[in-house]
Amino acid sequence: MKVTIAGFGMMGCVRAVAYEAVQRYFPRVCPEKYELYEASVQPGQEEGANDAGWKATTDLVAALSNPEAWGVDIGLPNSMHYEAAKIAFENGKRVFCEKPLAGNLLDAYKMAEIAAAHPDQLASVNYIYRRSPAAIYARKILQEGRFGKVMEVV
């Protein structure tokens, strides 16, 4: 599965490491290896992306619309999430977006509408490491009632 990372700042670097590790640590969940395919980078970040095994480009639109990529992982500045997701959805990509969903509420609503218009494409927002051992354990002990009645989770 070829994945494009949109933005290769701190979140893009973290995502690059995560994609490399998925198949190694979760082979039953992800039997197919993710290919470190393309990273949309700011000028000056090309070397870091290339060193991490990614094909680097400063052309965001080309990266988001590349016909070879299975999906797009958006880790750009918040104000750029909507435009990036729109381009990715319009080009048939599955979209995984870093939080917050958008730079403002109107763009978030527009993103939700675009995702709904493309129901066959995965649309996801990263809110927490849901599959991390700590999160799984916390859920387990909450479900067991060890903390009493949970009134609110923030």
Side-chain angles (χ1 to χ4, degrees):
M1 293 186 285
K2 293 182 178 182
V3 177
T4 294
I5 290 182
F8 212 77
M10 191 272 294
M11 285 314 304
C13 292
V14 168
R15 292 283 190 256
V17 171
Y19 280 113
E20 286 185 60
V22 169
Q23 211 276 328
R24 184 174 347 135
Y25 294 106
F26 303 99
R28 288 183 299 156
V29 175
C30 185
E32 200 174 336
K33 185 175 172 110
Y34 284 101
E35 286 188 41
L36 309 180
Y37 185 61
E38 188 163 40
S40 166
V41 298
Q42 296 295 315
Q45 294 177 328
E46 297 97 317
E47 186 176 341
N50 288 326
D51 288 348
W54 292 75
K55 174 185 165 196
T57 179
T58 56
D59 187 340
L60 179 61
V61 174
L64 295 170
S65 58
N66 189 314
E68 293 187 47
W70 172 86
V72 173
D73 190 323
I74 301 172
L76 295 161
N78 303 342
S79 62
M80 298 175 72
H81 288 185
Y82 165 70
E83 284 298 326
K86 180 180 176 197
I87 293 166
F89 276 121
E90 289 171 349
N91 283 279
K93 307 299 175 217
R94 289 137 187 98
V95 176
F96 182 81
C97 189
E98 187 54 50
K99 63 185 175 302
L101 184 60
N104 60 62
L105 189 57
L106 178 59
D107 283 351
Y109 278 122
K110 290 191 291 188
M111 282 177 76
E113 288 174 2
I114 291 169
H118 296 87
D120 295 338
Q121 294 165 231
L122 172 69
S124 180
V125 179
N126 177 37
Y127 283 107
I128 188 168
Y129 294 102
R130 297 180 343 177
R131 305 288 184 240
S132 72
I136 292 168
Y137 180 68
R139 179 174 187 235
K140 178 182 180 284
I141 62 176
L142 281 169
Q143 288 176 330
E144 290 172 354
R146 291 196 200 173
F147 294 111
K149 183 178 179 183
V150 177
M151 304 299 287
E152 182 177 7
V153 177
V154 179

